Amino acid sequence: MDATTSVHPAPGDGDSTPTGSIAALRRLTPYLRPVRGRLIGSGAAVLGSMVCGLMIPLVIQRVLDGPVATRDTGPLPWLLLAVAVLGTAEALLFYLRRRLVARASTRVEAELRADLYHHLQRLPISFHDRWQSGQLLSRAVSDLSTIRQFIAFAGIFLVVNSITLVLGLLVLFWLSPMLGLITLVFAAPLVMISSRYESGYQVLARRSQDQVGDLTTTVEESVLGIRVLKAFGRGPQLTARFLKQANDLRNTELAKYRLQAKLWAAILLLPELGIAAQLLFGTFQVVDGTMTVGTLVAGVTVASYLSWPTDSIGWLLAESNQAATASARYWEVRDARITVTDPESPRPLPVDGKGEVRFHDVRFRHSGSGREVLRGVDLTVRPGETVALVGPTGSGKTTLTALVPRLADVTGGKVTVDGMDVRDLRLADLRTVVAMAFEDPVLFSASVRENVALGSPGVTDEDVRVALRIAQAEDFVDRLPWGLDTRIGEEGLSLSGGQRQRLALARAVVGKPQVLVLDDPLSALDVHTEAEVEHALRSVLSGVTALVVAHRPSTVQLADRVALLDGGRITAVGTHSDLLATNPDYRDLLSTMDESADEESVA
Amino acid sequence: MTTTAPNGTADDDFAWRGVATEDTEEVTHAIGVKLHARSRALLATLVRPVAGRTALAFLLVVLENVAQLSGPLLIAAAIDTGIPNAIAGDTTVLAWCVGGYAFCGLASAVVWNVFLRLSSRIGQALLIDLRQRIFEHAQRLPLSFHESYTSGKVISRLTSDVDALDDLLEVGIDDLLTAVLSLVGISVLMLWLDLPLALLVLAGLVPLVLVTRWFYLRSNLAYRSTSGAIAKIIVQFVESMNGIRAVQAFRREGRNESIMNGLNVRYRDANADALTVMARFTMNVRLVGNLTLALVLAIGTWRVVDGGLELGVLTAFLLYLRRFYDPLDDIAQFTNAYSSAIASLEKISGLLQEKPEVAEPEKPTPLPKNPGQRGRSITFEHAEFRYSPTAPVVLPAFDLTVPAGQTVALVGPTGAGKSTLAKLVARFYDPTSGTVRLDGIDLREVSDVDLRAAAVMVTQENFLFSGSVADNIALGKPDATRAEIEAAARAVGGHEFITALPEGYDTDVRKRGGRLSAGQRQVIAFARAFLADPAVLVLDEATSSLDVPTERVVQKALESVLADRTALIIAHRLSTVLIADRVLVVDDGRIVEDGSPGALISADGRFNALHTAWRDSLV
Ligand SMILES: Nc1ncnc2c1ncn2[C@@H]1O[C@H](COP(=O)(O)OP(=O)(O)OP(=O)(O)O)[C@@H](O)[C@H]1O
Ligand SMILES: Nc1ncnc2c1ncn2[C@@H]1O[C@H](COP(=O)(O)OP(=O)(O)OP(=O)(O)O)[C@@H](O)[C@H]1O
Ligand SMILES: [Mg+2]
Ligand SMILES: [Mg+2]
C-alpha cells in the first residue's frame, strides 16, 4: 500500500545492475583521495602485522632448534629480544591500522553526508514532493554508515587479502606447479560461484536498503501523523503496516543470509577439498619421487595459511556489495538535477527597482503530471500595490505564488520582477527581494528569534520585534517563558495554530522585502486578531508589492485589487466591490449571501 | 524525564536553538551504571524467547569447531604416518586421512550453512521483536511525550539504534563462542602440559581483564555520544527536509549547513573516538599476548636448558599459546559491538520506560448502548489543564455539559485554549485535575477502541499519509468499501477533484499529500471523519483553507450529519459557527459566554462584537 512506486527516481538514475553499483562505488574516489595516504598506510599496517605475525613463529622455531636443542643460551637474549620487538611491532601495527582508518573513514562519511545535505537543500521542491523523506534519511544515515564501515574494514581487507591470496598462489606455483594448479582448479569454481552470488546478493542488498527506507518513512509518518492516528485510533493499523514492512525486511535479510550461507559453505568446502587433493596427488608424486615430502608439507602449510583470506571472501563480498548498492543509492540522489539554478550570467536587479511583479502568459505543469495547472496567466502587480489572488480550491494559487521566488520554474511564459525574468537573477538576490508566507506554517526547533530571522544576517532583535508586532505576535511571545529565546518547534514548546501562523507571517515581513507573497496568511486567525494584523499589515504593505492569496472577503479587503484565478487563467481583475457587482463567478466564490441568509434564519 | 534548569544559552554555537527545559545529556557515573543494568535487562528479555534456538546454535558452533580442529590433526597424521606408509606401499592410512579430511571439510561446511541460517533467523527474530516493541510503545505514548521527544529521536531509536544491535548480531555470537571455546580448551591443555607456565599465562590475563574493563567503559562512553550525535543529525535532517520550502524561500541553506556541519563533525569525532579506543584496546591485547609469549619462551627455554622441562612440552605449549591470543581479537571485536549496542539499548530502553500517561484502563467500562440516539453527552467536571507541570494553566478548572446531539461552536481569540479544550474531549491529554466524561463515563475508564469509535477529532494540523486518496479516506474506517469511500468524498464535495486526478481514488497523494492543494487535503481529512461516522465529532478549524463554495458543501454535509450527533466545532469563520445550537466564547482559557448564537448576538457581549466585526468584513 505504500510508496515504493513513487520513490524510484527518474529513469536512467536507478541503474542498480552490478556493474552500475561497482561504478557507483568507484565514484567515491574523489572523497577517498584526500585520505588515501592513511588508507594505504592502514593497508600497509595490516600487511606489516601479518609479516610480524609470520616471523614470530620463525624466530620461535630458531629458539627451539638453536639454544634449546643445543643447550647453548648464547644467542638466546637476542632471539628473545627479537620476539619482544616483533611482538611489540605487531601490536603497534594493529593500533596503527585502526587508528589511521578511524579519522579517514569517518571523515569520508562526514563529507559525503555534508555534500548530500548540501545537494538536497538545493534540489527543487518537485524533487522533495516525490521522494519519501525516509528514503532520503536512510541514505543519509544507514547507507553512509555502510560505506564508512566498508572503507574502514572490508575495503582494506579486500585489497590486503587479495594480495595475500595472489602471493600465496605464486608461492605454491613456485613450490610445485602441480600443487599450484590443484589449488587453482579448486579456486576457479569459487570465482564462478562468487560472481553468480554477487548479482543475486546485490539485488537483495538493494532491496533491503530500499525496505529500510520505506520502514523509516513509516516511522516518520507514524510520529508526524500521531494526532490523526490518535484521533481515529488507527495506531494498530499503522503498526500492522509497519510490521508488514519490518517482516518484508526480515525476509529479505534472511534471503541474504541464505545466499551467504550457501556461498560460505562453498568457500569453506572447496579449499579444504583442494588441500585433500593436494595431499593425495602430492603423495603420489612423493611415491614417484618427483616431489619431496618437505615440498608437500610446505605446500599444504601455505594452502592452509591461505584459508583465512579465502574464508573472508564471503564476508568481504557481502560487505562490498552492500557498500556498492549503498553508494548507488547515494548517487541516485546526488545525480538528481538541481533544476532551479543561478543563471550562467546573472543580471543584477535594478537599483531603483520598485518591485513590480508580472506574470507573462505563465504556464505550469507539475512534473510527472499530464495536466497544466496554469494555462497562460497574465497578471501585473504594480509596485507598491497589493493584489489579492482568489480562486476555488485547487485552482493553482499556491502553484502560482511559488513561481515568484522560484521554488519552481514556469514551464511556459515568464515571471518578471522589475522587468527582469526571475530566471536571469541570482537566486540569492531574488529571494532577498521576495519573501513568502506559506499555507502551513513550518517552525524549526529553534528560538523564536531564529524562527523569525531564520538566520539571515543583519537582522537585529528590534527588527524581529517590529515584525512580531506587525503579526500581532509580540504579546504572546513576551509571555513565553524565555521570550524571544524560547525554543519552539518540535524540540521546544508547542504553539497554537494561530500563533504559528503569526510567526510565519512575522518571518515574511522581517527582512523588509520589496515583494511579499502571502499564501492564505490569516486563515487560522480569529476575526479580531485578523483585523489587527490587517491593520498593521496595511502600513507595511503601503510601500511593498504584495500578492496575497485569500479565501475570505475580510482578507481580500487588504488588497487594492483582486485577481480571480480560475481554470488556469486570470479571468478577472478589479476591486472587490466591482467584481462582486460584475462577475458572477467571483460572486459565487466570495459572496456570503447564503451565509447572511443563514444568519437571518438564526437571528 | 528529568527537567533541569534552562541550558543552551551558555554555548554560543548553539544559541540559535533557544532555551528549553530538556533532559540532561551528560550522564553521571551512577546513572551510567543504572543505564547499563537497564539495557542489559532489555537485552535479556529480547534473548529469552529465542533461548532454545540459541542453545542449538551454540551446539552447532561446537560441532563446527570440532570438525575444524580435526582437520590439522588429520593432516599431521597423513604427513607423519600416511605418506611414509604410502611410500612403503600401504595407502590405507593416507586414504583414511584424506577421506577424513574431505569429510571434515564437508561436515564443517554443512554445519556452518545450517548455523548461519539458524543464527540469522534468531537475529532477525530479535530485531523484529525490538522494532515492534519500540513502535507499539511509541504509538501508545501520549501526545505530550511526542511533543517533547521529537520525531527525529523516535526515528533514530527505530533506525540507527536498532542497527547497533543488528551490528552486534552480525559480528556474531559464533565468533565469541568459538573464541571462548578455544580459550577454555587451550587453557585446560596448557594447565595439563605445564602448570607453572600455564599459571604465568593466566597471570597475563589479569592486565587483559583490566584493559577490557577500561575499554568497555571508554567505548561505551564514545558510543553513547555517537548514538546521541546521530540522533541530532536525524532530527536536523528530518526538520530541514520537512520545511524545505521555507528553507529555500528564506535562503536558510547556508545556516542549515553550518548547523549540520557542527553536528556532523561531532558525530565524526565521536565515531573516530570509538574506533581509536578500539585501536588502543586491540593493541594492548596484542602487546600483553606477545610479551607473555616472549616471557614464556624465555622461562621455558631456561627450564629446558636446566632440564626441568621437556622440549616437546615447550614446543606444544608455544604452539598453543600462539593460538591462545588469536581469539582475543574476536573477543575485542565482540566487546566493541556489544558496547555500541548497549549504548543504543540505553536509549531504546529509555523510550520503552516512558509511561503511557494517558493510558488505556485495565478494566475498561463499556460506553452505554443508547438505541435510538446517535450522539453522546460530554461533561467536564472541574476540569483543569496545563501542558506540563511547569507550564502555566491553560484551562482553569471549569464545568461544562454538552447534551447528546448538541452542536457546540467554540470561538475566541487565537491561543485562548479552544484546541486544548477540544483535545481533552478526544483524550489527547487527560485533565490535570477533574474529569471529562462521555455519556457519564470518565474517559480514563473507556477503552481506546470504544473511545475512538465514539469520538473523532479533525485536528488543526491535518496530516495525509503517503498512499492513495482512498487509503487516506479509509483511515476513518479501515474496512470501508470503495462505494462508502466515494460516498463520503461525494458528501463533502471532494468526488469531483478526486476523479480528476490521474488515477482517481488510487492516486498516490505523495509525501504529506503534496500532490494536492491545501483545500483538497482538508476535504480529504473531512471525508475521513465523515466516513468514521462517530457519535461525537470534534472539528478544529476543519474548513479554514476551503473556498466559500466548498465550505458551503461541507457545511451542508455537516448539517445533515450533525443533526443527531454531538459536535464540537472550532471555527474562525462565523458562517460555520452559525450552524451551531450553542456557542461558547473562550478567552484566556475561560468560557466567558455561553448561549445560542441568536441569543449571544442580541446580547451585548464578545460574540456580538465578533459578529459585528465579521459582518463588517463581508461588505
Ligand atoms: N506536486 C504536484 N503534482 C501534481 N499536481 C499537483 C501538485 N501540487 C498541486 N497539484 C495540483 O495542482 C492543482 C493546484 O494546486 P494548488 O495547491 O496550487 O491549489 P490552490 O489554488 O493553492 O488551492 P487551495 O486553495 O486549496 O490552497 C491542484 O489541483 C493540485 O491537485
Ligand atoms: N502542546 C502544547 N504544549 C504546550 N503549550 C501549548 C501546546 N499547545 C498549545 N499550547 C499553548 O496553550 C495555549 C492554548 O493553545 P490552543 O491551541 O488551545 O489555542 P487555540 O485557542 O486553539 O488557538 P488557535 O485559534 O490559534 O488555534 C496557547 O498559549 C499555546 O501556546
Ligand atoms: Mg493553496
Ligand atoms: Mg487551535
Side-chain angles (χ1 to χ4, degrees):
Chain A
M1 81 187 262
D2 53 78
T4 30
T5 44
S6 66
V7 149
H8 291 296
D13 285 355
D15 185 5
S16 68
T17 58
T19 46
S21 300
I22 299 298
L25 206 51
R26 208 171 303 129
R27 286 178 67 190
L28 298 177
T29 318
Y31 290 91
L32 296 178
R33 202 161 290 134
V35 296
R36 83 188 139 190
R38 284 160 178 270
L39 293 179
I40 293 172
S42 176
V46 176
L47 283 175
S49 64
M50 280 181 163
V51 170
C52 289
L54 276 179
M55 301 234 322
I56 292 176
L58 294 182
V59 178
I60 293 179
Q61 205 55 50
R62 288 280 298 274
V63 173
L64 295 180
D65 292 350
V68 177
T70 62
R71 304 286 196 267
D72 166 25
T73 49
L76 184 61
W78 295 109
L79 290 172
L80 285 179
L81 189 66
V83 171
V85 167
L86 281 172
T88 312
E90 192 194 24
L92 279 177
L93 287 169
F94 261 54
Y95 172 73
L96 220 56
R97 172 194 129 213
R98 288 205 150 85
R99 179 60 228 235
L100 282 175
V101 98
R103 300 264 156 227
S105 62
T106 51
R107 177 176 157 179
V108 171
E109 182 195 16
E111 273 170 14
L112 282 169
R113 183 176 296 117
D115 287 353
L116 178 70
Y117 188 65
H118 179 96
H119 192 74
L120 276 172
Q121 287 206 89
R122 280 155 188 81
L123 280 169
I125 304 296
S126 58
F127 171 90
H128 286 278
D129 272 350
R130 307 170 72 82
W131 278 71
Q132 289 299 345
S133 41
Q135 289 291 355
L136 298 178
L137 187 64
S138 63
R139 281 166 169 81
V141 177
S142 54
D143 287 346
L144 288 185
S145 103
T146 303
I147 293 176
R148 177 193 72 230
Q149 286 173 5
F150 174 73
I151 294 171
F153 301 107
I156 286 173
F157 278 107
L158 198 62
V159 175
V160 170
N161 288 0
S162 310
I163 294 176
T164 319
L165 271 180
V166 171
L167 287 180
L169 272 179
L170 285 180
V171 169
L172 273 179
F173 268 102
W174 171 74
L175 279 174
S176 143
M178 187 61 193
L179 293 185
L181 205 63
I182 291 174
T183 312
L184 252 191
V185 164
F186 280 90
L190 271 189
V191 175
M192 256 163 51
I193 294 172
S194 306
S195 70
R196 280 226 2 236
Y197 151 93
E198 188 165 13
S199 50
Y201 193 81
Q202 269 192 12
V203 171
L204 289 174
R206 170 76 205 214
R207 189 182 303 154
S208 130
Q209 285 157 354
D210 284 344
Q211 284 169 342
V212 167
D214 288 341
L215 202 66
T216 312
T217 303
T218 304
V219 173
E220 188 185 348
E221 290 195 335
S222 81
V223 189
L224 295 181
I226 188 80
R227 288 182 184 79
V228 173
L229 292 173
K230 287 225 185 273
F232 288 88
R234 292 294 170 256
Q237 271 76 16
L238 198 73
T239 307
R241 164 164 149 194
F242 174 80
L243 285 181
K244 188 189 163 295
Q245 287 177 336
N247 212 24
D248 289 348
L249 174 62
R250 167 172 72 176
N251 290 339
T252 312
E253 286 291 314
L254 287 179
K256 251 165 72 178
Y257 280 113
R258 275 198 300 276
L259 200 60
Q260 223 170 338
K262 255 190 235 159
L263 177 75
W264 282 19
I267 284 180
L268 281 179
L269 182 59
L270 284 171
E272 301 291 323
L273 292 184
I275 292 178
Q278 275 189 1
L279 269 179
L280 211 58
F281 284 94
T283 313
F284 283 134
Q285 288 201 321
V286 170
V287 173
D288 278 1
T290 41
M291 188 191 281
T292 66
V293 177
T295 311
L296 177 58
V297 173
V300 171
T301 312
V302 173
S304 27
Y305 190 73
L306 290 183
S307 77
W308 144 246
T310 323
D311 288 357
S312 70
I313 285 180
W315 167 67
L316 291 175
L317 271 182
E319 294 286 310
S320 336
N321 281 315
Q322 227 137 262
T325 50
S327 58
R329 276 165 51 85
Y330 175 83
W331 288 109
E332 272 166 24
V333 174
R334 285 291 302 278
D335 287 342
R337 268 196 36 232
I338 299 178
T339 48
V340 179
T341 51
D342 277 336
E344 295 264 304
S345 43
R347 293 167 48 191
L349 268 172
V351 243
D352 55 345
K354 303 210 176 54
E356 182 210 48
V357 178
R358 273 185 88 144
F359 297 87
H360 300 264
D361 190 31
V362 164
R363 296 173 168 275
F364 188 81
R365 173 196 316 235
H366 285 285
S367 65
S369 135
R371 205 171 52 93
E372 273 190 329
V373 177
L374 304 176
R375 305 190 190 91
V377 170
D378 283 297
L379 178 67
T380 306
V381 189
R382 300 184 203 115
E385 184 189 37
T386 301
V387 169
L389 186 65
V390 301
T393 293
S395 55
K397 304 180 291 297
T398 300
T399 308
L400 186 67
T401 53
L403 298 176
V404 184
R406 280 188 81 195
L407 293 178
D409 273 337
V410 294
T411 47
K414 65 178 176 179
V415 181
T416 61
V417 172
D418 284 331
M420 313 268 294
D421 190 324
V422 288
R423 285 167 298 184
D424 289 338
L425 299 171
R426 283 186 45 219
L427 277 174
D429 289 346
L430 174 67
R431 290 175 183 169
T432 314
V433 176
V434 180
M436 250 195 112
F438 299 96
E439 278 168 322
D440 32 22
V442 193
L443 298 183
F444 297 100
S445 304
S447 64
V448 173
R449 179 187 297 107
E450 176 82 7
N451 261 292
V452 173
L454 277 184
S456 50
V459 175
T460 64
D461 271 14
E462 190 45 38
D463 295 337
V464 171
R465 288 202 163 271
V466 170
L468 287 175
R469 219 166 289 147
I470 292 167
Q472 303 300 311
E474 199 182 19
D475 278 354
F476 90 78
V477 168
D478 280 340
R479 267 185 281 125
L480 293 174
W482 295 280
L484 278 183
D485 286 319
T486 313
R487 189 188 311 161
I488 52 175
E490 246 209 304
E491 285 192 301
L493 223 69
S494 305
L495 299 176
S496 85
Q499 290 168 339
R500 282 202 301 273
Q501 199 169 43
R502 279 177 289 163
L503 286 187
L505 188 61
R507 183 187 281 172
V509 297
V510 76
K512 302 198 183 65
Q514 268 175 358
V515 179
L516 253 184
V517 181
L518 307 177
D519 195 355
D520 210 5
L522 309 176
S523 64
L525 303 189
D526 61 288
V527 185
H528 280 316
T529 314
E530 184 185 5
E532 283 165 17
V533 174
E534 274 176 20
H535 182 76
L537 263 184
R538 216 166 264 137
S539 66
V540 178
L541 292 182
S542 63
V544 174
T545 313
L547 186 62
V548 182
V549 174
H551 280 305
R552 294 195 257 177
S554 47
T555 320
V556 169
Q557 277 160 16
L558 260 177
D560 303 309
R561 291 188 303 153
V562 188
L564 174 63
L565 179 66
D566 201 356
R569 297 163 174 282
I570 300 291
T571 53
V573 183
T575 63
H576 180 52
S577 42
D578 277 358
L579 289 180
L580 266 188
T582 57
N583 191 311
D585 289 339
Y586 186 79
R587 209 177 310 134
D588 213 33
L589 196 63
L590 276 191
S591 140
T592 38
M593 293 260 286
D594 277 8
E595 290 158 3
S596 324
D598 263 282
E599 172 208 336
E600 241 93 68
S601 68
V602 169
Chain B
M1 203 169 279
T2 47
T3 46
T4 57
N7 65 2
T9 33
D11 196 344
D12 247 8
D13 279 355
F14 289 98
W16 60 269
R17 296 187 68 205
V19 189
T21 53
E22 62 176 22
D23 50 351
T24 39
E25 259 178 43
E26 295 308 317
V27 179
T28 63
H29 181 70
I31 297 180
V33 171
K34 232 191 196 143
L35 287 178
H36 281 184
R38 199 172 73 185
S39 17
R40 272 199 303 273
L42 173 60
L43 195 58
T45 64
L46 285 170
V47 171
R48 206 162 299 137
V50 293
R53 278 185 286 171
T54 312
L56 187 59
F58 282 175
L59 195 68
L60 288 176
V61 175
V62 175
L63 272 181
E64 206 263 344
N65 269 297
V66 169
Q68 282 257 313
L69 284 177
S70 7
L73 294 179
L74 288 169
I75 290 185
I79 291 171
D80 292 347
T81 345
I83 295 178
N85 282 7
I87 294 173
D90 172 15
T91 52
T92 36
V93 177
L94 184 72
W96 275 106
C97 287
V98 171
Y101 190 83
F103 175 78
C104 279
L106 190 68
S108 90
V110 169
V111 171
W112 191 238
N113 182 303
V114 176
F115 169 78
L116 265 187
R117 286 150 165 263
L118 180 64
S119 71
S120 64
R121 266 213 293 281
I122 296 172
Q124 292 297 316
L126 225 78
L127 287 180
I128 213 162
D129 181 13
L130 185 62
R131 286 206 170 100
Q132 177 168 8
R133 283 199 216 179
I134 306 173
F135 194 89
E136 282 182 343
H137 194 75
Q139 284 293 311
R140 259 200 305 274
L141 285 171
L143 214 55
S144 55
F145 167 83
H146 287 282
E147 276 165 351
S148 59
Y149 200 74
T150 77
S151 53
K153 274 205 221 154
V154 178
I155 295 173
S156 68
R157 292 302 94 89
L158 270 161
T159 53
S160 54
D161 286 333
V162 172
D163 284 348
L165 183 64
D166 193 8
D167 285 344
L168 173 64
L169 296 169
E170 228 165 78
V171 164
I173 314 294
D174 53 301
D175 276 356
L176 178 71
L177 199 71
T178 309
V180 171
L181 276 180
S182 27
L183 268 184
V184 172
I186 295 173
S187 298
V188 169
L189 271 175
M190 289 195 303
L191 282 168
W192 175 71
L193 280 172
D194 184 65
L195 191 64
L197 282 183
L199 287 181
L200 180 67
V201 170
L202 293 183
L205 286 181
V206 175
L208 279 183
V209 169
L210 292 179
V211 169
T212 307
R213 241 190 92 72
W214 165 84
F215 165 70
Y216 180 68
L217 292 178
R218 273 291 280 115
S219 79
N220 196 251
L221 218 61
Y223 282 118
R224 209 179 267 156
S225 74
T226 54
S227 152
I230 193 72
K232 288 224 160 60
I233 288 183
I234 292 176
V235 170
Q236 171 71 17
F237 191 90
V238 167
E239 204 169 82
S240 7
M241 292 307 123
N242 283 335
I244 191 72
R245 280 164 213 268
V247 167
Q248 294 193 346
F250 292 98
R251 292 167 291 122
R252 196 180 158 74
E253 298 96 338
R255 178 76 168 186
N256 266 342
E257 265 152 41
S258 67
I259 292 172
M260 181 58 108
N261 273 343
L263 300 173
N264 218 356
V265 162
R266 262 185 63 186
Y267 180 61
R268 183 194 70 191
D269 291 348
N271 245 327
D273 239 32
L275 285 174
T276 309
V277 173
M278 171 75 173
R280 281 161 67 183
F281 178 50
T282 46
M283 174 182 76
N284 284 326
V285 169
R286 263 294 136 158
L287 197 61
V288 171
N290 284 339
L291 292 183
T292 316
L293 183 73
L295 209 59
V296 167
L297 188 62
I299 296 176
T301 314
W302 173 69
R303 282 180 52 201
V304 170
V305 173
D306 246 25
L309 192 68
E310 298 271 322
L311 171 59
V313 174
L314 178 62
T315 313
F317 202 92
L318 288 170
L319 280 178
Y320 281 121
L321 189 57
R322 193 63 196 153
R323 294 187 53 180
F324 185 69
Y325 290 106
D326 278 338
L328 286 179
D329 286 337
D330 288 332
I331 292 183
Q333 203 83 263
F334 180 84
T335 315
N336 184 46
Y338 179 73
S339 141
S340 156
I342 284 290
S344 290
L345 286 174
E346 270 170 22
K347 300 230 146 84
I348 293 175
S349 59
L351 175 74
L352 291 178
Q353 267 201 344
E354 288 285 338
K355 284 206 186 55
E357 265 154 31
V358 183
E360 273 213 74
E362 301 262 309
K363 287 195 208 79
T365 316
L367 287 170
K369 301 226 174 348
N370 305 332
Q373 179 195 334
R374 307 187 63 187
R376 288 181 187 278
S377 70
I378 307 166
T379 330
F380 290 85
E381 281 173 10
H382 298 298
E384 184 204 66
F385 184 74
R386 54 173 62 176
Y387 277 99
S388 76
T390 51
V393 173
V394 177
L395 300 175
F398 69 104
D399 290 287
L400 173 69
T401 305
V402 179
Q406 195 173 55
T407 301
V408 175
L410 287 169
V411 297
T414 80
K418 307 179 293 294
S419 301
T420 309
L421 194 153
K423 285 189 271 186
L424 289 182
V425 174
R427 205 178 173 220
F428 281 4
Y429 311 95
D430 279 333
T432 326
S433 65
T435 44
V436 182
R437 295 178 188 279
L438 198 61
D439 265 355
I441 297 177
D442 189 336
L443 286 186
R444 281 173 283 217
E445 313 273 290
V446 182
S447 76
D448 210 46
V449 175
D450 275 5
L451 174 63
R452 301 306 165 195
V456 153
M457 173 165 181
V458 179
T459 54
Q460 213 162 351
E461 309 84 4
N462 70 55
F463 187 94
L464 297 198
F465 292 86
S466 52
S468 69
V469 173
D471 285 343
N472 267 291
I473 298 178
L475 200 98
K477 184 178 171 196
D479 53 354
T481 62
R482 181 51 68 91
E484 285 177 296
I485 292 173
E486 287 185 16
R490 212 172 257 127
V492 297
H495 185 70
E496 242 172 72
F497 87 78
I498 295 172
T499 43
L501 292 171
E503 286 156 73
Y505 282 85
D506 294 317
T507 313
D508 184 0
V509 300
R510 299 213 190 124
K511 178 159 72 188
R512 319 257 180 289
R515 173 77 184 67
L516 304 173
S517 84
Q520 291 168 340
R521 286 197 290 271
Q522 230 168 29
V523 168
I524 294 201
F526 228 100
R528 230 181 229 172
F530 203 86
L531 186 63
D533 193 27
V536 175
L537 185 61
V538 182
L539 300 175
D540 192 354
E541 300 192 24
T543 56
S544 61
S545 303
L546 300 184
D547 62 25
V548 178
T550 313
E551 190 190 1
R552 234 173 259 149
V553 174
V554 169
Q555 231 158 53
K556 286 255 156 53
L558 269 183
E559 273 171 305
S560 66
V561 176
L562 295 184
D564 53 356
R565 304 298 153 93
T566 313
L568 219 54
I569 301 177
I570 301 174
H572 288 310
R573 300 195 196 175
L574 292 209
S575 48
T576 309
V577 171
L578 293 176
I579 66 169
D581 304 317
R582 177 179 175 193
V583 175
L584 302 175
V585 181
V586 183
D587 193 3
D588 212 8
R590 279 168 227 280
I591 298 171
V592 291
E593 280 176 36
D594 181 353
S596 75
L600 289 185
I601 289 169
S602 348
D604 188 20
R606 297 197 195 212
F607 188 67
N608 185 12
L610 278 178
H611 185 253
T612 319
W614 173 69
R615 281 204 61 132
D616 291 348
S617 77
L618 293 184
V619 187

